[in-house]
Amino acid sequence: MRISARADYAVRAALQLAASRDDAPLKTEAIAGAQDIPHKFLEGILNDMRRGGLVLSRRGGNGGYRLARPAESISIADVIRVVDGPLVSVRGVRPPDLSYSGPAQSLLPLWIALRSNVREILEGVSLADVAAAELPADVAALTDVPDAWVNP
């Protein structure tokens, strides 16, 4: 699985909004600067997030963006889906829509298992969890696996 730059930027922007201590909207420039995200790219991402119901925007001098609901109720999966679509697909097709034959037949349940595990992790972690650096115990335990980030 690859996390696109778009998804990475979207999650980082959402985390910046989640970490905002007051209810005042944050300007695109402030988010872009704080997270080192190209401003124009971020504008498109925030528009997708607005259309997806994750952020609210307000125009004007006191305008900007804020989360549409509490950070506890927005999962990392929600953010990725809004900007990138399905969490796991094979050649742009969701695993349940694939079919294989012969020795490749058991690939389908493998792809479905992969999708299930990715969903379990990303749906089980909220913006509030990451912003507070308090990952759920089962997710944090996965980071303790030796060689978790080492490529074979």
Side-chain angles (χ1 to χ4, degrees), residues 6 9 14 19 32 39 44 52 67 71-73 79 91 99 105 112 118 123 142 145-146:
R6 186 171 184 76
Y9 291 162
H39 181 264
L67 294 177
E72 297 81 14
S73 70
V79 178
R91 301 181 326 268
S99 66
Q105 195 167 11
I112 292 170
V118 169
E123 289 174 353
L142 292 171
V145 173

Side-chain angles (χ1 to χ4, degrees), residues 53-134:
L54 296 181
V55 299
L56 301 172
S57 64
R58 184 168 61 185
R59 295 182 183 195
N62 293 326
Y65 291 88
R66 62 185 176 87
L67 294 177
R69 25 185 233 268
E72 297 81 14
S73 70
I74 300 174
S75 72
I76 301 301
D78 293 333
V79 178
I80 294 172
R81 283 187 185 113
V82 163
V83 299
D84 262 0
L87 296 175
V88 177
S89 66
V90 178
R91 301 181 326 268
V93 178
R94 292 180 179 179
D97 296 329
L98 297 168
S99 66
Y100 297 99
S101 60
Q105 195 167 11
S106 62
L107 271 179
L108 182 57
L110 176 65
W111 297 154
I112 292 170
L114 174 67
R115 181 179 187 217
S116 177
N117 277 316
V118 169
R119 288 174 67 177
E120 183 177 343
I121 291 170
L122 295 178
E123 289 174 353
V125 178
S126 72
L127 292 176
D129 295 331
V130 178
E134 295 177 359

Side-chain angles (χ1 to χ4, degrees), residues 7-8 15 18 20 23 25 29 38 41 43 48 55 63 69-71 83 87 116 119-120 123 129 131 136 139 148-149:
D8 178 55
L15 288 168
S20 178
D23 201 29
E29 296 82 8
F41 198 29
E43 284 179 345
D48 285 347
V55 299
R69 25 185 233 268
V83 299
L87 296 175
S116 177
R119 288 174 67 177
E120 183 177 343
E123 289 174 353
D129 295 331
V139 174
W149 194 249

